[in-house]
Amino acid sequence: MPEDAPRRQSTLEEVAELAGVSRSVASRVLNNAPHVSRAKREAVERAVQQLGYVRNPTARALATRQTGAAALVVAGEEPSIFADPFFAQVIVGASAALEEADLHLMLCLAASDRGRKRVEELLRSKGVDGVMLMALREDDPLARMAEESEMPVVFGGRPVGSAPRWYVDVDNLGGAREATEHLISRGRTRVAAICGRLDTEVGRARYRGYRDAVLAVGLEPYPPQEGDFTEPSGAAAMAALLANHPEVDGVFAANDNMGAGALRTLREAGRLVPDDVAVVGFDDLTVAQVADPPLTTVHQPIKAFGREMARMLVALVNGQEPTPLILPTRLVTRSTS
């Protein structure tokens, strides 16, 4: 009689699929790592028995270095940045995706030298399985640290002057162009821009989108009126525009917080919106819906931004090779245009 063919060795992916968990969860169960629920641990153990799975020694050596945590590092000015509705939604999206992979989320601020030093130590010591970096400014040393680190790093938004291997971004240029084209379609011929910080790629990209749209129809772009993405900075920028360019009849604000600030200044100056000045923001935060009047804006999928950033990081931790991702935007028309 012919000998039976040798039985194929089952894989970790098959164990994870049978158990109904992610590959990283299955790996941590097999290495008796912490931060795995009892139900998932038992499901993996049943799958191992059913499939007759045998561990690979090399894979075991790699997997035992996992910590069960991932870090979201924000180069913000102060802890209040986490109260910003934008970052709050990013955190919700990232946390949900990491929870699916049984990874805990660690939040880090890295604006000060001390904060950056802590992040550098985290990268060198591999105190987490991977890092997500956001809100980097031009020449931020965190970008260099990330490039030199052997740890998986995903960028939330591309840094200025750098092309990281793994990132999730939004179509900032296209969204800003659409917002400006909308203002022009409403008959506005003197359209200005309240842009974000110009030492960030998001600030520059959104101003470029505005400028491209204005130049495309033969209008003259106004110099960038810079803000810092906060409501007070938007109010101050709008006041400067009214003082230096009182003829302005349309404003693209590079985020909703600054758009709300611009509306406040226009109201205090006795300018009617949209009759005298039309305004469009960016993000589609709650503040746009409750603004007086409700703010026309560019919607970006903020929770999906956080979720996809975390999913990309999980893929890297699991040894996969994800590709960069740019999320689409769309215009949401309300009462300010």
Side-chain angles (χ1 to χ4, degrees), residues 2 79 84 91 113 127 155 185 187 197 204 207 210 216 233 252 260 280 286 307:
D84 186 306
I91 291 169
D113 290 340
F155 287 79
S185 73
R197 298 186 62 110
R204 294 184 181 186
Y207 181 72
Y210 151 81
S233 75
F252 164 61
V280 178
T286 301
R307 182 176 64 249

Side-chain angles (χ1 to χ4, degrees), residues 91-260:
I91 291 169
V92 169
S95 179
L98 291 176
E99 185 176 349
E100 293 175 359
D102 268 16
L103 286 172
H104 287 262
L105 176 62
M106 177 188 300
L107 301 177
C108 303
L109 280 176
S112 65
D113 290 340
R114 185 176 180 181
R116 283 189 290 270
K117 183 67 175 177
R118 287 199 301 268
V119 173
E120 185 175 13
E121 292 173 355
L122 191 69
L123 289 168
R124 288 178 175 173
S125 67
K126 297 186 178 179
V128 291
D129 292 338
V131 172
M132 297 167 283
L133 283 178
M134 288 191 66
L136 295 182
R137 296 181 186 168
E138 189 173 15
D139 299 325
D140 195 313
L142 285 178
R144 175 186 54 79
M145 294 178 196
E147 291 173 357
E148 295 175 353
S149 173
E150 296 179 359
M151 182 182 297
V153 177
V154 173
F155 287 79
R158 287 161 288 185
V160 173
S162 178
R165 189 173 180 184
W166 297 293
Y167 65 84
V168 176
D169 208 346
V170 171
D171 186 10
N172 292 299
L173 188 146
R177 184 172 56 237
E178 184 178 14
T180 308
E181 289 171 347
H182 171 73
L183 287 166
I184 295 170
S185 73
R186 292 294 197 263
R188 310 299 161 149
T189 58
R190 299 177 296 277
V191 181
I194 298 175
C195 63
R197 298 186 62 110
L198 292 175
D199 59 355
T200 65
E201 179 58 28
V202 62
R204 294 184 181 186
R206 292 181 186 179
Y207 181 72
R208 288 198 304 270
Y210 151 81
R211 191 172 184 274
D212 289 350
V214 170
L215 290 173
V217 295
L219 298 177
E220 188 68 25
Y222 285 78
Q225 190 66 52
E226 189 173 355
D228 62 4
F229 296 110
T230 65
E231 192 271 350
S233 75
M238 190 69 245
L241 279 174
L242 291 178
N244 298 321
H245 306 285
E247 75 282 0
V248 163
D249 62 3
V251 173
F252 164 61
N255 82 334
D256 291 340
N257 294 328
M258 294 192 298

